[in-house]
Amino acid sequence: MGCSQSGGEKKYAADKNKKNQESGAAGSNREQDKRQAKEENKEYAMTMQFLSQVQLLKRLPKDQHPLLAAACVPVEFKAGHVIIKQGDAGAEFFVIKSGEASVSVSKGDAAPVKVATLKSGDYFGENALLRDEPRTATITADSALSAFKITREKFRELGLNERLQFANRKAVGGGNRRVLDAKPPTPKTEQERALISEALRKNQNIQTMVALDDQRVKNMVDVAWKEDIPAGHEIIKEGDLVADYFYIVQEGSFEILVNEQEGGAAQSEETALTGGESKYVSTVSQGGSFGELALLYLVPRAATVKAVNNSVVWVIDRTNFKRILMKVSDDKMKEYIKYLDKAEILNPLLSQEKQAMAQALVEMHFTKDEVILLQGEPGTTFYVLYEGEVSITKDG
């Protein structure tokens, strides 16, 4: 004999099943929420870790990193995508997480020219946020690119425009550059090659700055071209800021003249206008060289050099001169970059900018008690100390 449920019992069972289902669904939602929260926390922690390794952001106090991470919006771009376009209004700042992007600049109607490559940890878009100006370059993804984006509103809300020190990117953008007139190399006899090589090795200023190995000497000889200089011509003028060439005398001679005020007397108006009297210092003849100091140290020409008679010189332009003399090995480059990474003032520089700086570094060695910088003198050189100790003294 079977048993049957009453209507009330059926309703109770149905309500119980419904509550169980709702309870199960709620439990499932809670688990899903937990998983989602866990995933979000993981992504947030990874964002924090990445941002803490970005050189630019290391200047921020650590208690600001959570706020910065919360303001970052992850974005993805496909290869070939134009992320920002030169001339457009800017409202966002980007930090590259992975991938590479090209920086290109166009002038007038000319085609855009690629001036730099950005990689993980590099940034772009800050100029438009700092100065409320149009984008100064076009940034295009070279590969699939992941980045963190911060809007202008968040950028200013966090005070990043005051707390971060951005590198001046005018050098990356090209700017207005003076065109250097470099002529093609002139064919040379063995005797001429020997004269140029010997002149380079005898130049004490160059030898002080860098070790002239055979390869560097050969490269310098290869790029030199020959020029005729008429008697009386001033090939270099004292105080000239345009210093683009280094010279080696093949034939003839040149006198070195320096404008000096005797006894430290104040310069008169007439002397200032006419240049005053020039004092003879020395003569440079066949096999001698001159012009290297202004190229090495980026300072005005220190003396006037005038042809005594019709002369012939070998010329090496600034670009080749520095490229050959300052070229360092890959291992040395890595070592230099490690030192640059330790200099906090250089943190805003991109990795590519640090590489360019490392290529321009020249090792200099000083003896104990030698004065490296003197208070009150004009400064033209930046130093990174990698061995030894220095003392700093200041008057007043």
Side-chain angles (χ1 to χ4, degrees):
M1 186 176 192
C3 297
S4 63
Q5 291 179 311
S6 67
E9 290 173 335
K10 288 181 179 179
K11 185 175 184 303
Y12 172 77
D15 289 344
K16 188 175 180 180
N17 289 336
K18 183 178 180 182
K19 287 180 180 179
N20 288 338
Q21 291 173 359
E22 290 175 349
S23 177
S28 176
N29 288 338
R30 280 196 296 272
E31 287 300 320
Q32 186 175 348
D33 289 343
K34 286 181 180 178
R35 286 194 297 270
Q36 184 175 347
K38 187 176 181 180
E39 190 65 29
E40 289 176 355
N41 289 340
K42 183 179 178 181
E43 290 180 3
Y44 182 76
M46 291 175 64
T47 300
M48 286 264 291
Q49 183 180 9
F50 171 76
L51 294 176
S52 69
Q53 300 303 313
V54 176
Q55 290 289 346
L56 169 70
L57 305 177
K58 286 183 176 181
R59 295 179 64 88
L60 281 178
K62 288 189 177 181
D63 61 353
Q64 297 293 314
H65 286 194
L67 298 176
L68 179 65
C72 287
V73 178
V75 289
E76 305 283 338
F77 301 100
K78 295 180 179 179
H81 181 82
V82 176
I83 304 172
I84 64 175
K85 187 176 180 181
Q86 184 176 348
D88 286 353
E92 296 157 333
F93 166 68
F94 298 85
V95 179
I96 298 176
K97 183 180 179 183
S98 63
E100 295 186 1
S102 293
V103 183
S104 56
V105 176
S106 59
K107 296 180 181 179
D109 297 328
V113 177
K114 181 177 177 179
V115 295
T117 299
L118 304 178
K119 301 178 182 180
S120 176
D122 291 337
Y123 58 90
F124 57 91
E126 75 282 1
N127 284 343
L129 301 182
L130 290 173
R131 291 180 283 277
D132 198 18
E133 63 183 22
R135 299 294 195 187
T136 57
T138 296
I139 310 294
T140 306
D142 288 340
S143 62
L145 186 141
S146 298
F148 291 113
K149 176 180 71 175
I150 303 177
T151 63
R152 175 187 300 215
E153 181 182 6
K154 285 293 183 182
F155 187 88
R156 292 181 174 174
E157 183 182 312
L158 293 174
L160 296 182
N161 52 323
E162 297 175 355
R163 298 179 183 181
L164 296 181
Q165 181 179 351
F166 292 99
N168 186 340
R169 297 288 180 80
K170 288 183 180 179
V172 175
N176 295 321
R177 296 179 179 176
R178 178 165 43 86
V179 178
L180 181 64
D181 183 17
K183 298 180 181 178
T186 303
K188 306 164 186 73
T189 65
E190 287 302 317
Q191 290 78 11
E192 289 172 335
R193 294 185 69 88
L195 180 140
I196 299 171
S197 299
E198 184 63 20
L200 289 167
R201 290 192 168 94
K202 287 194 306 184
N203 189 297
Q204 291 300 316
N205 289 320
I206 296 178
Q207 290 288 1
T208 300
M209 291 292 292
V210 62
L212 267 182
D213 55 33
D214 291 343
Q215 187 59 50
R216 280 194 173 99
V217 171
K218 179 183 180 302
N219 292 341
M220 295 279 273
V221 173
D222 288 344
V223 300
W225 70 85
K226 187 184 286 186
E227 283 190 5
D228 296 321
I229 309 297
H233 177 71
E234 293 183 348
I235 193 170
I236 289 178
K237 291 185 179 181
E238 182 179 358
D240 195 349
L241 294 173
V242 180
D244 290 330
Y245 306 105
F246 169 68
Y247 302 93
I248 295 171
V249 182
Q250 173 68 44
E251 297 175 13
S253 60
F254 295 81
E255 58 182 7
I256 311 298
L257 306 168
V258 176
N259 188 348
E260 285 190 344
Q261 295 296 315
E262 295 296 335
Q267 182 170 292
S268 67
E269 180 181 2
E270 181 181 358
T271 303
L273 291 172
T274 62
E277 292 292 329
S278 293
K279 179 181 178 182
Y280 168 81
V281 177
S282 63
T283 298
V284 180
S285 54
Q286 186 182 53
S289 60
F290 52 86
E292 74 283 350
L293 285 176
L295 272 62
L296 287 170
Y297 296 105
L298 296 175
V299 294
R301 293 295 195 182
T304 295
V305 182
K306 183 178 180 180
V308 177
N309 41 40
N310 291 336
S311 304
V312 178
V313 295
W314 293 101
V315 187
I316 301 174
D317 64 279
R318 171 195 289 275
T319 301
N320 279 313
F321 185 84
K322 297 203 74 173
R323 176 183 60 81
I324 295 168
L325 287 187
M326 308 310 179
K327 187 176 181 180
V328 295
S329 66
D330 291 340
D331 290 341
K332 206 69 174 175
M333 276 277 291
K334 291 176 182 177
E335 182 183 347
Y336 287 166
I337 290 173
K338 285 182 181 179
Y339 293 126
L340 297 179
D341 284 340
K342 294 178 181 178
E344 186 177 333
I345 194 174
L346 304 178
N347 284 349
L349 294 180
L350 304 176
S351 58
Q352 186 165 338
E353 291 168 331
K354 283 189 179 179
Q355 286 181 356
M357 190 173 185
Q359 288 177 333
L361 288 178
V362 178
E363 285 191 20
M364 297 188 70
H365 302 268
F366 301 93
T367 58
K368 184 179 179 181
D369 296 329
E370 183 177 353
V371 176
I372 302 172
L373 297 177
L374 188 62
Q375 183 177 343
E377 288 188 348
T380 58
T381 310
F382 170 72
Y383 295 90
V384 178
L385 181 66
Y386 74 89
E387 186 178 304
E389 295 180 356
V390 297
S391 60
I392 303 173
T393 56
K394 184 177 180 180
D395 296 337

